[in-house]
Amino acid sequence: MTLNTDLDKAGFVPALRISAIGVSQILKIGARAQAMKRDGAPMIILGAGEPDFDTPDTVKQADWKAIQHGDTKYTALDGTPELKQAIREKFRRENGLDYAADEITVAVGAKQILFNAMMATLNVGDEVIIPTPAWMSYSDIVTIAEGKPVCVPCSAQAGFKLTANQLEAAITPRTKWLILNSPSNPSGAAYSATDYQPLIEVLLRHPHVRLLVDDMYEHVVYDDFRFVTPVALEPRLKGRTLTVNGVSKAYAMTGWRIGYAAGSRELIKAMAVVQSPSTSCPSSVSQAAAVEALSGPQHFLKERTESFRRRRDLVVAGLNAIDGIDCRVPEGAFYTFADCAGLVGKTTPAGKPIETDTDFCDYLLQVAHVAVVPGAAFGLSQFFRISYATSEIELTEAILRIAAACSRLGSDSDRC
Ligand SMILES: Cc1ncc(COP(=O)(O)O)c(C=O)c1O
């Protein structure tokens, strides 16, 4: 008899801490759409959350200069002094926030910042309030850190924003964090100073709750919306707020993997303890590039946002012209989060019922060859997210195809 020593063949058993987490639905849909494209289908993929613009040339040059200069070794654990200085200046210039170098941390993307923060602070069962719809990485990271995500659904009528009453009701003695993301992935909703104020008042009444604000889409806001971050509104929150940002979206640098944050010295130090055994430090040359992104020319930010605004208007108008779809005008980011409840209950020409937003997105993928993401992937059905970070030509074609696919949906009574 031979012993089976291949543990994985005998049946792989993941660690408990990841058993509730699957591969992101966005990645799964993207992979399916790419496979269909390889097989010859004329796919339009509106799933990925990354700008279609290129990293600015000045940033690429800074990277090349760092390589030539030999800045290719490990750096200080949580960021080079040059990048920390550039981040301090960015916070002062753009947000009116004043932080010392040891209150700043740099990591491999904002995702690692979140990971470090949760791993550094959560004990088993500690609760983290996450208003939904939300980027699902928040709850996945909380789960990996053995905390408990407390998802609070925010309706389209409330602009997908958390209300003070909802926050008050969600807080318990076990609450460690509230996570807010403005402008939001996936809804594009953004909190104004007036929206933040009642939430701040609740937080002031509950001093054991920390606030993590993810300002990743700060530069992508439209019309007259004025971006503001909570610590600028209420300095008394400074000691317990982690203000998170990064270069991925504003500077089209998703692949460079640089995120950063400002918070209390004690928290920043604890986050470095998590970072040390995981990545040692962020990429040296990406950090040099990020210094240039934050300190160099900024004029293209406005130009790119204007281009995103045109695309937003095109998509919102196109979707609202379709019977059964209702799309709120987002204040920022490059996503629409449209209500498709009016199409649930209908039937596809092949006789398949549309019972959920996931069924609807599946139908669009198969029939219209348009890849979008169901609201379920962000914790709120019956909605779907479009990432409009692609050309107006492609978006126009996508809307035409979605409209045509929707017009072919029938009610059961239409069938003979
Ligand atoms: C709201 C939000 N925060 C953070 C991130 C991750 O940013 P990074 O590329 O810096 O890890 C994303 C990426 O989609 C995001 O949507």
Side-chain angles (χ1 to χ4, degrees):
M1 195 182 83
T2 53
L3 274 179
N4 183 355
T5 53
D6 189 335
L7 275 178
D8 287 357
K9 274 200 184 129
F12 178 73
V13 182
L16 282 180
R17 78 175 66 83
I18 66 153
S19 56
I21 301 170
V23 173
S24 132
Q25 215 171 334
I26 304 176
L27 295 183
K28 275 195 208 155
I29 291 168
R32 265 181 79 196
Q34 291 295 353
M36 288 169 71
K37 195 172 179 175
R38 276 195 301 278
D39 290 343
M43 300 306 299
I44 299 180
I45 302 174
L46 306 178
E50 66 183 350
D52 56 328
F53 300 114
D54 199 5
T55 301
D57 279 341
T58 47
V59 173
K60 290 183 189 170
Q61 282 152 14
D63 174 76
W64 182 231
K65 237 162 95 184
I67 292 171
Q68 286 175 317
H69 192 248
D71 293 343
T72 52
K73 305 284 166 48
Y74 293 128
T75 71
L77 173 56
D78 66 352
T80 61
E82 295 77 15
L83 182 50
K84 286 193 174 191
Q85 185 57 27
I87 292 165
R88 291 179 67 201
E89 281 162 20
K90 175 261 179 270
F91 276 129
R92 204 173 298 139
R93 185 181 69 236
E94 295 183 345
N95 307 113
L97 302 180
D98 191 16
Y99 284 95
D102 59 358
E103 294 173 313
I104 302 283
T105 186
V106 182
V108 183
K111 216 175 215 180
Q112 197 193 8
I113 295 278
L114 293 158
F115 192 85
N116 291 346
M118 294 304 132
M119 290 296 280
T121 55
L122 295 183
N123 291 314
V124 178
D126 281 346
E127 295 170 6
V128 179
I129 299 172
I130 305 172
T132 58
W135 186 46
M136 283 316 266
S137 292
Y138 298 136
S139 56
D140 287 351
I141 291 170
V142 169
T143 304
I144 291 176
E146 301 183 308
K148 180 177 162 204
V150 176
C151 295
V152 181
C154 302
S155 67
Q157 293 71 30
F160 299 116
K161 293 174 211 173
L162 184 72
T163 65
N165 285 343
Q166 284 178 307
L167 176 58
E168 188 75 62
I171 292 175
T172 75
R174 292 298 307 266
T175 307
K176 265 271 164 71
W177 289 93
L178 162 66
I179 298 183
L180 292 177
N181 167 219
S182 168
S184 149
N185 173 11
S187 69
Y191 290 80
S192 64
T194 316
D195 295 324
Y196 271 135
Q197 208 55 54
L199 299 178
I200 289 171
E201 279 159 29
V202 175
L203 288 173
L204 290 175
R205 285 200 293 276
H206 297 276
H208 69 290
V209 180
R210 293 179 179 275
L211 172 64
L212 187 151
V213 281
D214 180 345
D215 292 345
M216 180 56 75
Y217 296 92
E218 136 175 46
H219 289 292
V220 191
V221 291
Y222 307 117
D223 309 322
D224 297 329
F225 186 86
R226 275 179 68 93
F227 174 86
V228 66
T229 196
V231 176
L233 290 172
E234 179 46 84
R236 280 179 291 172
L237 287 181
K238 189 177 177 199
R240 54 177 158 131
T241 299
L242 187 69
T243 302
V244 179
N245 214 317
V247 294
S248 283
K249 314 287 174 169
Y251 302 95
M253 291 175 68
T254 45
W256 298 74
R257 310 307 304 129
I258 295 292
Y260 58 87
S264 75
R265 198 163 279 127
E266 295 72 19
L267 173 62
I268 295 297
K269 218 161 128 187
M271 287 168 65
V273 173
V274 180
Q275 179 143 302
S276 172
S278 55
T279 57
S280 293
C281 65
S283 149
S284 59
V285 292
S286 289
Q287 290 187 73
V291 171
E292 174 61 25
L294 295 176
S295 320
Q298 305 288 312
H299 59 88
F300 57 86
L301 293 175
K302 268 210 167 99
E303 292 159 18
R304 290 179 174 188
T305 296
E306 178 51 20
S307 166
F308 281 136
R309 189 203 48 79
R310 283 197 303 274
R311 300 171 192 192
R312 175 201 65 170
D313 291 349
L314 186 162
V315 172
V316 171
L319 290 175
N320 280 330
I322 299 171
D323 257 1
I325 293 182
D326 185 17
C327 185
R328 174 183 179 274
V329 182
E331 294 96 344
F334 37 74
Y335 309 104
T336 56
F337 199 67
D339 186 330
C340 58
L343 298 170
V344 170
K346 299 217 170 210
T347 310
T348 71
K352 199 169 172 265
I354 303 279
E355 288 172 352
T356 61
D357 47 357
T358 303
D359 291 343
F360 176 62
C361 293
D362 207 49
Y363 171 65
L364 292 183
L365 186 73
Q366 301 292 343
V367 172
H369 295 139
V370 176
V372 297
V373 185
F378 306 99
L380 199 72
S381 293
Q382 313 283 2
F383 294 87
F384 66 104
R385 187 192 81 169
I386 284 182
S387 166
Y388 53 83
T390 189
S391 73
E392 289 180 47
I393 293 174
E394 227 179 18
L395 291 170
T396 305
E397 172 63 20
I399 295 293
L400 285 174
R401 289 194 205 171
I402 294 172
C406 291
S407 74
R408 291 205 295 275
L409 290 172
S411 56
D412 262 349
S413 56
D414 296 339
R415 297 175 69 207
C416 46

